[in-house]
Amino acid sequence: QSALTQPASVTGSPGQSITISCTGTNSDAGSYDRVSWYQQHPGKVPKVMIYGVNKRPSGVSNRFSGSKFGNTASLTISGLQAEDEADYYCCTYAGSGTYWVFGGGTKLTVL
Amino acid sequence: EVQLVDSGGGLVQPGGSLRLSCAASGFTFSSYAMNWVRQAPGKGLEWISYISSTYEIWYADSVQGRFTISRDNAKNSLYLQMNSLRDEDTAVYYCVRDQAWAFDMWGQGTKVTVSS
């Protein structure tokens, strides 16, 4: 089960927008609209921020949005805030045999 | 309160066994698929096992044949029996609820250390 590919780190300034990419293959991210994104602060439990490619759970800020084109999914955070500094993981259902695959994670730094 | 509480972690020698438990409350446990996801120290998230509400079971290749997932709906509990443990199984293990093809609720995690 190969991991999805994410950039190791992304940096942004308060108020800016950033995008984190998540690249898979035709067998996983490209085949299913079941991409989700998770935020994890140091020492804390992961929290779902986006599911079904672009759906936001209740209570998640509308500054977070998701999209997908081909084999690459993206998480965009607009109006960056200091509290957004965290690790972000993408995940997708990859079908029978592989099931669920996570990306390697991206550390977001807000300068 | 809607929550998942993980327990059962600890220190175990290579080749040993451990059984993790997850107690669910505040929702209809039997209606949901459940998963175990782990995170090795300083590393990313790794999905390892799934059990549906109808007892369909999946495993990641890394634990297939060594780990067994199970559930007891009468006790609102999820379990992970881990056998033939290896150094690389050292991680925090999370019990996770499956909703709309996403992991929408996580336990607080239980730490497993495999070391001699």
Side-chain angles (χ1 to χ4, degrees):
Chain A
Q1 287 134 336
S2 300
L4 303 170
T5 300
Q6 298 181 232
S9 61
V10 170
T11 301
S13 300
Q16 284 187 334
S17 294
I18 63 95
T19 296
I20 299 172
S21 61
C22 170
T23 302
T25 68
N26 289 333
S27 300
D28 43 57
S31 294
Y32 303 94
D33 286 337
R34 294 169 181 171
V35 178
S36 50
W37 289 88
Y38 301 86
Q39 177 192 64
Q40 186 179 33
H41 288 106
K44 301 298 185 181
V45 174
K47 174 187 175 183
V48 61
M49 306 303 284
I50 295 289
Y51 68 98
V53 176
N54 56 14
K55 299 176 180 60
R56 258 189 326 274
S58 174
V60 171
S61 170
N62 59 9
R63 296 185 299 106
F64 292 82
S65 62
S67 62
K68 192 185 84 162
F69 182 78
N71 297 338
T72 298
S74 298
L75 172 71
T76 298
I77 308 174
S78 59
L80 269 179
Q81 300 179 359
E83 68 205 47
D84 299 331
E85 186 164 292
D87 293 325
Y88 290 85
Y89 296 91
C90 62
C91 181
T92 187
Y93 174 73
S96 178
T98 304
Y99 307 117
W100 290 103
V101 178
F102 279 96
T106 298
K107 181 177 180 60
L108 170 62
T109 300
V110 181
L111 295 175
Chain B
E1 182 183 3
V2 180
Q3 64 176 354
L4 298 169
V5 178
D6 302 321
S7 62
L11 175 64
V12 61
Q13 292 187 339
S17 298
L18 211 54
R19 188 193 195 209
L20 306 184
S21 299
C22 169
S25 59
F27 64 98
T28 307
F29 177 74
S30 60
S31 297
Y32 288 85
M34 299 295 296
N35 298 266
W36 289 98
V37 174
R38 70 183 179 184
Q39 187 169 33
K43 302 297 183 182
L45 301 170
E46 179 189 14
W47 170 83
I48 58 171
S49 190
Y50 160 98
I51 183 167
S52 75
S53 58
T54 56
Y55 296 91
E56 181 177 3
I57 289 173
W58 306 337
Y59 296 103
D61 290 346
S62 58
V63 305
Q64 178 77 49
R66 300 187 300 122
F67 290 10
T68 302
I69 191 172
S70 62
R71 66 189 299 162
D72 184 337
N73 290 338
K75 295 183 178 180
N76 290 329
S77 292
L78 178 73
Y79 305 101
L80 186 69
Q81 176 66 42
M82 304 187 297
N83 297 332
S84 303
L85 283 161
R86 306 166 179 168
D87 290 350
E88 56 264 36
D89 295 318
T90 294
V92 174
Y93 285 73
Y94 296 99
C95 163
V96 186
R97 191 176 77 172
D98 200 311
Q99 167 83 321
W101 296 98
F103 304 129
D104 75 323
M105 183 187 302
W106 297 62
Q108 87 285 3
T110 186
K111 186 175 181 179
V112 173
T113 302
V114 183
S115 175
S116 54

